Amino acid sequence: MKAWEATVRKTQAAAKKRANTIFGTSYGTENAEEEIDDQEAEEEVHASGESYHSEKFLPNGDYYSGFWVDNFPHGQGKYWWTDGCMYVGEWCKGKTNGWGIFSWPSGAMYEGNFKSGFMDGEGTYTEANGSVYKGSWVMNLKHGQGMKEYTNGDVYEGQWSRGLQEGQGKYQWKNGTYYTGEWKNGKMTGAGQMQWLNGNVYEGDWEDGIPKGQGTFRWLDGSFYVGNWSTEPSEQNGTYIPKGSMEGNLEWDPQEVFTNDLKDCKVCPAEKVPIWPSQKRLAVWRSTKGTDNMARPRRLSVDGRIEGGVDKELRLSDCAAPSSWSSNSIERNGIDGDDTSSTRSEPISRGTPIKIPKVVKKQGETISKGHRNYDLMLNLQLGIRHSVGRPGPPPSLDLKPSAFDPKEKYWTKFPTEGSKYTPPHQSCEFKWKDYCPKVFRTLRMLFKVDPADYMLSICGNDALRELSSPGKSGSFFYLTNDDRYMIKTMKKAETKVLLRMLSAYYNHVRAFDNTLVTKYYGLHCVKLNGQKVRFIIMGNLFRTEYTIHRRYDLKGSTFGRLTDKPESEIDSNTTLKDLDLNFVFRLQKTWYQEFRRQVDKDCEFLEQERIMDYSLLVGLHFTEASIDETPPGARTPVGDDGTLDSDSVTRLSRADLDQLLIDPTRWSSIKLGINMPARVERTERAKLPDGEIQLVGEPTGECYDVIMFFGIIDILQDYDITKKLEHAYKSIQYDPNSISAVDPKMYSKRFRDYIFKAFSEDT
């Protein structure tokens, strides 16, 4: 404690020398400037990405000692906050990650695993009053198997969920009485048995901590009462049978159990933690290396997110659960948390120009000669040119059932020297397969795709681009140079699902011109060196002249639905998730009504085809985004000559937006989910009393004009045995309603319920 106090005095003394403004930090004395120069000189001798041990006296008075990489703690290190909190342990890019110890000034302490800033994994939490919990954690909450010893002598051992007892567990009071059975939301609920120290036993149904329903109360002498239990005498119905008697009577009043036996059997309430480790902010040192301006230290939460402070910088995890839950968050914005309808009675304010993350030119790595997949790209282009350019009768919308037969596929051999039907080429010999070619030719016509433009995009002189990393499914994605089409490698199981549902898919997209489901243009296979690689060609939802500033992948589930990236790694191509979302989307009335109708139709189609795990991909272009004030460390797009590349950050002005709305000649570019003018309203999540995660926060009245793009993607996952096993396994560990792998009917309902909360009519 003395060492910590000395450190605080030292860092606070240094902090007093600095004058902070909302524009950054200015340094008013030579000593302060020398201190900064010393720390920056230390950084100058280390290459970018190099790990080294350092001691940092941070601008707000915080102190860090440990390993450092660029602008972040990384490796073993100690961080002292001026309020008395301290963390000692492992860091990863500015986030507590791995084994560590976090202590509060109250004397409370957590020792265990951290993940992305959260207490997550196995760990022990000792409260300031001496109570100790040892067990499993998920995102700061007790979740899984664990034991808690309360300071009054009570002990609970069993299952926890979202911070409360839930599932099977045993609670023993200090007087020896114990309950064994089912729990829900921290209360005895379900089937269970309570045994008192005097030998009396109740076994039966419980609800909210008291007997309710069928149950039996037995005395040590053999007497018992059996019947229906309730605190309401009118609902009580049972029979008392004394010891040795076979005849029942009603001389005993069962209300005595509630008034006498249970009066001392109170479960200790959950502790109140003043601040979670993931809510702590880091005054991260920002180097001035390579710039003429003074460094601008910014505060980050230990889950890696920048806090904007008074300049209202858009934080990508303003509402990342549970670190930003705040019972006062609604009050801070002048909204009554008990009546969300009141938000519409107040004028809606236009938000300050919103700051965007890094803007990067294009996704992916160009596949040039020498790339590991260069031959595969050439094979794909040769095959597409052969399939699309092959002469045939004009497609008809009325296809025969045989066209959808999974056996309707054609192999073509491509020798290097060429053949009667194939041209010579520089790649190695391969075989090409077309699946249901008549169906996909008709789909391209239905989607108004010109064959020549289609071939030019995929098979032109410009190479494809491979995305930097494969998706969660293990598939690889490729983009055409004009961003018009996306090519995804397919698993055999996904190919079978698409072929099985192809007829229903065709009928659906033909019946609903505004369908939001992914548009498929072709299904192919390349056999190269004995290995098969299957491809699906899809439309790219975000093919637009406008910069997509925000991307969201929304499912309506909570488990694993938080982006695990620090601010420094988030750019305009980063896809955020449900728990990163801090907006509601407001559509014009007619568009909102059409949106609801189409989502219902699309979900009904997917449910009938036993499809689940799909999501709504949303892209936002902020019309008044501030691109001149990018977050610290963000890369501004530059051209080859080092000047600002303004072409890569196309913005729509307010005048352009107004013109778009009033000019009928430009309406043709607007479709449901494409180029849609709309507004988004910032939200903040409130703390719920039952510990549930609030997926959609409360509106704050701060609105922004946007151009929206959205569609339903990943529609090829059926509820097969793998997903059923995943559901069974994860349901044991987590809330079944929070995971993605659920029955298609339940998935469809949950998805729609969530989407219709995240989207609303703009009134």
Side-chain angles (χ1 to χ4, degrees), residues 43 46-52 68-71 74 93 289:
E43 294 178 1
H46 296 284
S48 177
E50 180 184 353
S51 175
Y52 61 95
W68 191 269
V69 174
D70 296 333
N71 293 320
H74 188 80
K93 296 181 180 179
K289 184 167 53 180

Side-chain angles (χ1 to χ4, degrees), residues 132-205:
V132 178
Y133 169 82
K134 185 176 183 179
S136 181
W137 297 77
V138 173
M139 293 181 70
N140 291 341
L141 300 177
K142 304 177 187 71
H143 197 100
Q145 186 71 23
M147 181 177 72
K148 182 167 183 178
E149 298 176 353
Y150 296 88
T151 187
N152 66 349
D154 294 356
V155 177
Y156 171 82
E157 184 174 7
Q159 291 291 317
W160 298 75
S161 179
R162 302 183 299 280
L164 298 170
Q165 298 96 328
E166 184 152 334
Q168 289 290 327
K170 178 181 179 180
Y171 192 103
Q172 182 163 334
W173 286 265
K174 61 181 178 181
N175 62 9
T177 301
Y178 65 88
Y179 167 86
T180 304
E182 297 177 348
W183 293 75
K184 187 174 183 180
N185 293 329
K187 296 182 179 179
M188 298 172 284
T189 301
Q193 180 190 86
M194 179 176 283
Q195 182 166 331
W196 285 263
L197 187 61
N198 59 12
N200 295 345
V201 178
Y202 170 81
E203 185 173 5
D205 295 331

Side-chain angles (χ1 to χ4, degrees), residues 212-464:
K212 187 169 185 180
Q214 290 295 316
T216 302
F217 190 95
R218 297 181 183 275
W219 284 264
L220 186 61
D221 64 2
S223 303
F224 64 93
Y225 175 91
V226 60
N228 189 66
W229 291 73
S230 176
T231 53
E232 295 294 332
S234 59
E235 298 178 3
Q236 187 83 39
N237 182 21
T239 302
Y240 169 68
I241 301 178
K243 175 185 177 182
S245 173
M246 299 303 295
E247 296 181 2
N249 61 67
L250 298 177
E251 294 179 359
W252 180 74
D253 185 4
Q255 293 298 315
E256 293 181 14
V257 173
F258 299 103
T259 56
N260 298 327
D261 297 82
L262 291 173
K263 68 177 182 178
D264 295 325
C265 298
K266 305 296 182 184
V267 176
C268 292
E271 74 281 359
K272 294 182 179 179
V273 180
I275 187 168
W276 294 106
S278 57
Q279 292 175 294
K280 295 299 295 178
R281 305 292 173 180
L282 307 187
V284 174
W285 178 263
R286 293 289 179 183
S287 172
T288 61
K289 184 167 53 180
T291 68
D292 296 328
N293 300 322
M294 186 61 69
R296 295 172 55 186
R298 305 300 298 270
R299 294 185 66 78
L300 279 88
S301 67
V302 293
D303 63 356
R305 307 293 198 248
I306 284 182
E307 179 181 32
V310 294
D311 63 355
K312 293 186 179 179
E313 179 180 35
L314 177 66
R315 290 179 292 164
L316 296 182
S317 64
D318 274 348
C319 305
S323 64
S324 59
W325 293 344
S326 172
S327 58
N328 299 322
S329 62
I330 301 177
E331 296 175 3
R332 289 199 304 270
N333 291 279
I335 299 173
D336 182 1
D338 295 328
D339 183 8
T340 57
S341 63
S342 65
T343 61
R344 300 273 64 87
S345 63
E346 297 294 331
I348 298 178
S349 64
R350 185 173 302 282
T352 55
I354 201 163
K355 294 185 180 180
I356 62 176
K358 305 174 189 177
V359 178
V360 293
K361 281 190 175 182
K362 284 187 176 182
Q363 289 177 281
E365 173 190 0
T366 301
I367 304 177
S368 54
K369 194 166 185 177
H371 191 281
R372 63 186 182 281
N373 288 327
Y374 181 70
D375 284 340
L376 188 61
M377 181 192 72
L378 292 181
N379 299 158
L380 175 67
Q381 292 176 326
L382 286 166
I384 293 292
R385 190 179 292 116
H386 170 76
S387 298
V388 179
R390 186 170 51 198
S396 170
L397 293 177
D398 298 316
L399 296 172
K400 297 179 180 179
S402 59
F404 299 95
D405 190 339
K407 296 179 181 179
E408 189 76 359
K409 49 193 175 184
Y410 301 92
W411 281 104
T412 303
K413 190 174 181 179
F414 280 76
T416 54
E417 67 277 9
S419 68
K420 182 179 179 181
Y421 303 104
T422 63
H425 57 89
Q426 297 179 349
S427 179
C428 52
E429 181 176 308
F430 69 96
K431 292 182 71 177
W432 173 263
K433 183 195 283 189
D434 260 335
Y435 294 92
C436 300
K438 291 182 181 178
V439 176
F440 286 103
R441 184 186 291 255
T442 308
L443 282 172
R444 291 193 293 271
M445 182 185 72
L446 196 63
F447 295 141
K448 299 179 175 58
V449 174
D450 181 77
D453 291 340
Y454 183 70
M455 279 198 296
L456 189 62
S457 291
I458 301 175
C459 312
N461 294 328
D462 294 316
L464 303 177

Side-chain angles (χ1 to χ4, degrees), residues 6-231:
T7 301
V8 170
R9 283 196 298 271
K10 185 176 180 180
T11 55
Q12 286 180 336
K16 288 179 181 178
K17 299 176 184 178
R18 305 182 179 97
N20 294 321
T21 72
I22 63 172
F23 301 106
T25 305
S26 61
Y27 299 85
T29 69
E30 292 182 2
N31 292 336
E33 292 176 357
E34 289 175 1
E35 181 183 321
I36 295 172
D37 291 340
D38 290 343
Q39 297 196 52
E40 290 190 348
E42 180 185 48
E43 294 178 1
E44 289 289 345
V45 301
H46 296 284
S48 177
E50 180 184 353
S51 175
Y52 61 95
H53 193 279
S54 179
E55 188 177 39
K56 300 287 184 182
F57 296 94
L58 300 167
N60 69 328
D62 293 353
Y63 170 77
Y64 174 79
S65 175
F67 287 92
W68 191 269
V69 174
D70 296 333
N71 293 320
F72 301 103
H74 188 80
Q76 284 289 334
K78 297 180 289 186
Y79 195 107
W80 285 272
W81 285 268
T82 54
D83 63 359
C85 292
M86 180 178 69
Y87 173 79
V88 181
E90 298 176 53
W91 297 80
C92 181
K93 296 181 180 179
K95 297 183 290 186
T96 54
N97 204 86
W99 187 264
I101 300 174
F102 189 97
S103 58
W104 287 260
S106 63
M109 183 177 71
Y110 171 82
E111 181 177 1
N113 283 307
F114 287 80
K115 183 179 180 182
S116 299
F118 295 96
M119 297 150 61
D120 199 301
E122 293 298 313
T124 301
Y125 175 69
T126 304
E127 298 177 32
N129 62 11
S131 297
V132 178
Y133 169 82
K134 185 176 183 179
S136 181
W137 297 77
V138 173
M139 293 181 70
N140 291 341
L141 300 177
K142 304 177 187 71
H143 197 100
Q145 186 71 23
M147 181 177 72
K148 182 167 183 178
E149 298 176 353
Y150 296 88
T151 187
N152 66 349
D154 294 356
V155 177
Y156 171 82
E157 184 174 7
Q159 291 291 317
W160 298 75
S161 179
R162 302 183 299 280
L164 298 170
Q165 298 96 328
E166 184 152 334
Q168 289 290 327
K170 178 181 179 180
Y171 192 103
Q172 182 163 334
W173 286 265
K174 61 181 178 181
N175 62 9
T177 301
Y178 65 88
Y179 167 86
T180 304
E182 297 177 348
W183 293 75
K184 187 174 183 180
N185 293 329
K187 296 182 179 179
M188 298 172 284
T189 301
Q193 180 190 86
M194 179 176 283
Q195 182 166 331
W196 285 263
L197 187 61
N198 59 12
N200 295 345
V201 178
Y202 170 81
E203 185 173 5
D205 295 331
W206 295 74
E207 185 175 306
D208 291 335
I210 57 175
K212 187 169 185 180
Q214 290 295 316
T216 302
F217 190 95
R218 297 181 183 275
W219 284 264
L220 186 61
D221 64 2
S223 303
F224 64 93
Y225 175 91
V226 60
N228 189 66
W229 291 73
S230 176
T231 53

